[in-house]
Amino acid sequence: MNDAVLGQSIKRREDGRFLTGAAEFTADINLDGQLHAAVLRSPYAHAVINAIETAAAAALPGVAGVYTGADLAADGIGPLPCAAAGVVQTVAPIIVPPRYALAQGRVRHVGDPVAFVVADSLNTALDALELIQVDYDPLPALVDGRAALAPGAPEIWPEAPGNLAYLFEKGDPAAVDRAFAGAAHVVELEIINNRVSPAPSEPRAAIGRHDVAMDRLDLLLTGQGVHNIRAQLAAAVFKLPEERLHVAAPDVGGGFGLKNFVYPEWVLLLWAARRLGRPVKWVAERNEEFMSSTQGRDMHASARLALDGEGRFLALSADMTANMGAYLSSFGPGVSTNAASTAMGGIYAIPSVFMSVRGAFTNTVPVDAYRGAGKPEANYIIERLIEAAAPRIGIDPVELRLLNAIDSFPYRSALGIEIDTGDFKGNIESAVRLADRAGFEDRRQAAAAAGRLRGMGVGCFLETARGANAEGAEVRFPGDGAVELRLGTESNGQGHETAFSQIAAATFGLPLDAFRYIQADTAEVQAGNGHGGARSMHMGGSALVAAMAAVLAKARPVAARMLQADEAALLFENGAFGVAGSGRSVPLLEVAAAARDSNLVDAGAEVGEAVANGLDSYARREDAPFTFPSGCHVAEVEIDRQTGALRLERYLMVDDYGVLINPRLTEGQVHGGVTQGIGQALLENLAYDPESAQLLSGTFMDYTLPRAVHLPSFTVHFRQTPTAANPLGVKGSGQAGCIGAPQTIIAAILDALRPLGITDIDMPASPERIWRAIRATCVHLNADALL
């Protein structure tokens, strides 16, 4: 490969259209004859539907149709599937109650779709919603996963006694019990990973269409994994062969997991378009996103860590409750189980680990994968335990980490994960040195002189990156001078058009603008598992490398014939095949054109093979191992002891993502992930009223996203430890910042508050929560002077 292209911070090719308004998002697209849709949503978290009166709405001029769950049932439309139920091994089969696109008989969370209106304009559709009358009989509602599993809790689903969706166990409980019995120290914590919203900049939107000539349903949507969405819609919902359903996505404005899944609106749009014979468009309002798009995290853990007399870790136990919401979303059960188990214990050598997870149904919006998906929850557990253990046993928390970090590779974790490479101790040592930890006490004293509490937090993370374990890539030569790269992974802001072009340019020796990037279209891309799990360069890049190798192998006999030379004498460099020492060469694009020339059909078996298929090549990567991005982050905060107001003064990262294709893109991914992790730690929280289960933070007036004023200038240092898990040596970077930031921020806050005797605080550590913790401690100590 040409190293002059790989590893360079080349500006993103796609930014030109984004910055000039030339990008095309789903909401920008309108089709001839298009109708508009609106969804009537339940105002109750749990209620029986006694009756729905739609006649007045249907009679409104301009309304094309008003539909309820009975209409879909009459057409045999199936419930939305939970794909994870087929891949997560639980103690008993996962209970998947039916989730219909429109509620049938009962609603189970605020925002549950009840009726669907299609009209000639959006305003007419919204007016019609106001005319629909629904007779509800409210029922008791639940918002907390632990409360839902308690004896005597109201039943949400008759199929799920005790509101238990699943029980997952992994590890050796007997070995863990023995380790705890013989431990010199045992640390226990109740740890809450708060519920958050992915809140991408672009809300969900889609257009459904029925192509009568092809008898095919077409769905254009803002999505992250079009092939999987098609597969689930076709098989479970519409009961059609996949080739009769086409799914595509134009430019997508962020996803963070949320746009990977099948939603009721996708079903409704396709069904209504087929029924009415016209395209139907729907664009979510932001408050709809909060009450209907998947949410993230919401896990409670009773966690314990056993240590010997020297501070070495002996065992980890985590008894977790995962709040799944009212329904099981596509991958929902996989987050707290399979995904979390791959990172349980983080970067540390822990001989024995046991985790158990109970999935609980509640009357809240369904939970599914959100940036990191189980890995943030797992890392947060061990990092919080370390921070609690260090002062308890009198060891510096950084030294405790260094004592227990894995330092010999390959390493097999207690839960069976094979970690191939890394430099976890090096990450820690570099981070504390670059953050000037040695000089922190001077900064703490300066803050104290000004009446503020200053704290420094150190947090580590281990990501397990791969996502779905299969991916494809295709290279095509359409004959117009371009080379098409067709990838099954999908960008929604990461810069794939640039990164994949860099890989291809390095292999083929062609300029970046020679490549045309194609993604997110089931009619144009053979197969794919989309974006998620920090997998694109690992899985998609591997497939692309294999496809390009196939291109060059096909091209060699054609080039040899064109140059009248033996294949063995050919060299390929700078985009051309040449004969060493002869000065004769032929460009790759000319070879591609010749490979389609029928005059070569009789030129021999090898050349004939190239002619039959041209140079176009497709390759798949399957059964790939995980890659293991890792890092150590350091944060410094200052807290106003009178108000609890917090300022994040410094944030430094030392991260290892293997070989970097484009450091600029990697840094952008890390900045975004860290910002989201900081948001969860300090600001973001989806709050439900505990009695009514009404969503209390359902707008940006109530749900606080981090802004520039909340953030310092980040300092990022990359340490590139290559992996042999793929030919590029890359590790995923898209999720890692979100995994490392929460525990780092909380550690810094607790370090600042430790002089006041405060040793625990939950996310989000808002000014009010910090102020209440300070007041409670001072009242308990009768020491208002501390304020």
Side-chain angles (χ1 to χ4, degrees):
M1 287 192 175
N2 180 0
D3 292 335
V5 179
L6 281 183
Q8 301 303 307
S9 292
I10 294 168
K11 292 182 179 180
R12 300 199 329 169
R13 299 181 65 200
E14 47 268 72
D15 281 352
R17 68 176 185 273
F18 291 133
L19 294 173
T20 60
E24 188 174 55
F25 299 93
T26 303
D28 298 325
I29 299 170
N30 294 290
L31 303 181
D32 291 342
Q34 171 182 288
L35 297 167
H36 296 265
V39 182
L40 181 69
R41 302 184 184 277
S42 170
Y44 294 100
H46 198 194
V48 172
I49 301 174
N50 294 317
I52 305 176
E53 178 54 59
T54 63
L60 188 69
V63 170
V66 181
Y67 307 110
T68 67
D71 297 304
L72 274 71
D75 261 10
I77 300 300
L80 280 66
C82 173
V87 297
V88 177
Q89 298 298 313
T90 48
V91 173
I94 296 175
I95 296 172
V96 185
R99 181 189 186 188
Y100 294 103
L102 292 174
Q104 297 185 15
R106 185 180 292 198
V107 292
R108 289 178 169 85
H109 69 85
V110 173
D112 217 352
V114 175
F116 190 64
V117 174
V118 182
D120 57 10
S121 73
L122 177 58
N123 286 337
T124 300
L126 294 173
D127 288 343
L129 290 186
E130 300 293 329
L131 299 176
I132 299 173
Q133 299 295 316
V134 183
D135 179 13
Y136 293 104
D137 188 4
L139 298 170
L142 297 163
V143 301
D144 181 81
R146 290 167 296 166
L149 296 175
E155 185 177 81
I156 296 174
W157 289 101
E159 298 92 334
N163 299 317
L164 182 66
Y166 58 85
L167 172 62
F168 175 89
E169 296 180 344
K170 193 166 187 177
D172 187 340
V176 167
D177 288 345
R178 288 193 298 271
F180 274 97
H185 306 282
V186 174
V187 179
E188 301 184 18
L189 280 180
E190 298 296 314
I191 298 172
I192 296 174
N193 213 291
N194 50 312
R195 182 180 284 226
V196 292
S197 171
S201 57
E202 178 200 23
R204 288 181 301 127
I207 304 173
R209 176 177 173 270
H210 182 218
D211 187 324
V212 177
M214 299 184 66
D215 191 19
R216 185 183 74 181
L217 294 172
D218 294 337
L219 182 65
L220 184 73
L221 81 167
T222 174
Q224 291 179 239
V226 296
H227 288 85
N228 288 332
I229 291 172
R230 177 182 70 167
Q232 293 176 50
L233 285 170
V237 180
F238 289 98
K239 304 174 182 65
L240 294 172
E242 286 188 16
E243 58 269 21
R244 288 183 56 195
L245 205 159
H246 168 228
V247 181
D251 289 317
V252 176
F256 315 118
L258 177 151
K259 294 176 181 176
N260 269 325
F261 315 123
V262 173
Y263 285 98
E265 294 85 359
W266 305 164
V267 177
L268 296 170
L269 290 166
L270 290 171
W271 177 79
R274 184 173 66 180
R275 185 181 182 101
L276 297 171
R278 293 171 65 182
V280 183
K281 180 178 181 177
W282 172 80
V283 179
E285 297 291 337
R286 183 59 67 177
N287 68 325
E288 281 188 290
E289 286 291 81
F290 275 110
M291 67 175 70
S292 62
S293 291
T294 57
Q295 299 173 354
R297 311 294 190 244
D298 203 343
M299 185 183 295
H300 177 274
S302 297
R304 299 184 299 152
L305 181 66
L307 305 90
D308 69 13
E310 297 180 351
R312 295 190 183 277
F313 300 160
L314 301 175
L316 170 66
S317 171
D319 181 10
M320 299 181 285
T321 300
N323 187 340
M324 301 310 302
Y327 305 97
L328 295 186
S329 181
S330 300
F331 186 67
V335 173
S336 60
T337 56
N338 287 4
S341 70
T342 64
M344 189 61 66
I347 67 166
Y348 306 102
I350 308 178
S352 300
V353 177
F354 178 71
M355 60 178 286
S356 65
V357 187
R358 295 180 300 163
F361 287 112
T362 63
N363 297 112
T364 60
V365 176
V367 167
D368 211 314
Y370 165 57
R371 199 170 192 169
K375 287 61 150 315
E377 295 91 322
N379 278 271
Y380 190 68
I381 288 171
I382 185 61
E383 292 294 320
R384 287 292 312 278
L385 285 168
I386 291 171
E387 287 294 313
R392 182 89 57 87
I393 63 177
I395 297 179
D396 178 89
V398 169
E399 294 304 318
L400 187 58
R401 288 179 169 88
L402 289 170
L403 178 66
N404 288 282
I406 298 165
D407 61 1
S408 178
F409 300 92
Y411 176 86
R412 182 177 177 84
S413 77
L415 295 184
I417 299 300
E418 296 278 354
I419 303 174
D420 65 332
T421 186
D423 186 6
F424 304 153
K425 288 188 176 181
N427 293 344
I428 298 170
E429 291 166 342
S430 295
V432 297
R433 174 177 53 82
L434 292 165
D436 185 27
R437 188 169 187 254
F440 172 70
E441 284 305 319
D442 290 340
R443 299 192 292 278
R444 190 200 294 270
Q445 292 304 317
R452 296 187 296 273
L453 301 165
R454 189 169 183 123
M456 171 182 274
V458 176
C460 297
F461 74 88
L462 177 71
E463 157 76 304
T464 50
R466 184 189 65 196
N469 196 6
E471 196 48 75
E474 185 175 16
V475 179
R476 286 192 186 180
F477 296 84
D480 60 358
V483 181
E484 292 181 349
L485 309 177
R486 297 171 178 246
L487 274 295
T489 68
E490 297 165 19
S491 174
N492 50 86
Q494 295 85 348
H496 290 180
E497 186 173 337
T498 302
F500 282 119
S501 296
Q502 284 182 258
I503 296 171
T507 299
F508 286 151
L510 298 173
L512 288 174
D513 58 11
F515 300 99
R516 182 182 301 134
Y517 178 72
I518 297 173
Q519 65 161 24
D521 190 328
T522 60
E524 299 290 338
V525 178
Q526 288 193 35
N529 279 296
H531 175 71
R535 64 190 302 275
S536 291
M537 292 301 111
H538 173 35
M539 298 298 294
S542 295
L544 179 58
V545 168
M548 291 188 297
V551 166
L552 294 177
K554 290 180 180 181
R556 185 168 290 276
V558 180
R561 178 172 176 81
M562 295 173 72
L563 293 168
Q564 296 298 300
D566 291 334
E567 288 186 43
L570 294 185
L571 299 175
F572 182 75
E573 56 185 5
N574 299 321
F577 286 95
V579 180
S582 72
R584 293 183 295 125
S585 66
V586 57
L588 177 61
L589 292 177
E590 291 186 16
V591 177
R596 293 189 296 271
D597 188 344
S598 59
N599 291 328
L600 292 179
V601 171
D602 298 323
E606 289 185 89
V607 178
E609 172 71 16
V611 172
N613 300 292
L615 297 189
D616 297 351
S617 298
Y618 176 80
R620 282 178 65 81
R621 177 74 196 271
E622 297 178 321
D623 298 324
F626 288 109
T627 68
F628 297 92
S630 63
C632 180
H633 294 190
V634 183
E636 291 187 37
V637 302
E638 285 194 0
I639 296 171
D640 184 317
R641 62 174 71 210
Q642 296 291 334
T643 66
L646 178 146
R647 180 175 175 84
L648 180 56
E649 297 289 343
R650 294 184 174 191
Y651 200 98
L652 176 141
M653 300 154 256
V654 174
D655 290 348
D656 178 4
Y657 302 116
V659 176
L660 303 182
I661 302 298
N662 186 317
R664 184 197 301 262
L665 298 188
T666 304
E667 187 165 353
Q669 285 294 294
V670 174
H671 281 200
V674 165
T675 297
Q676 287 183 294
I678 291 170
Q680 180 180 9
L682 296 178
L683 303 165
E684 300 181 45
N685 190 51
L686 282 167
Y688 288 84
D689 181 86
E691 298 298 325
S692 67
Q694 291 289 328
L695 181 60
L696 302 178
S697 51
T699 73
F700 284 140
M701 293 292 290
D702 310 294
Y703 186 89
T704 308
L705 290 177
R707 298 176 298 193
V709 69
H710 297 119
L711 306 171
S713 293
F714 296 137
T715 302
V716 186
H717 297 270
F718 294 127
R719 305 178 75 243
Q720 301 186 47
T721 305
T723 176
N726 58 70
L728 296 168
V730 299
K731 305 173 186 177
S733 64
Q735 303 186 136
C738 209
I739 299 172
Q743 57 262 29
T744 307
I745 296 294
I746 295 299
I749 293 170
L750 291 176
D751 184 57
L753 298 176
R754 191 163 286 113
L756 304 184
I758 299 169
T759 60
D760 191 22
I761 196 165
D762 289 323
M763 299 188 293
S766 63
E768 179 187 356
R769 182 165 283 174
I770 293 172
W771 178 83
R772 289 186 181 280
I774 294 172
R775 289 295 304 176
T777 301
C778 292
V779 169
H780 175 71
L781 297 175
N782 193 25
D784 285 335
L786 286 173
L787 296 176

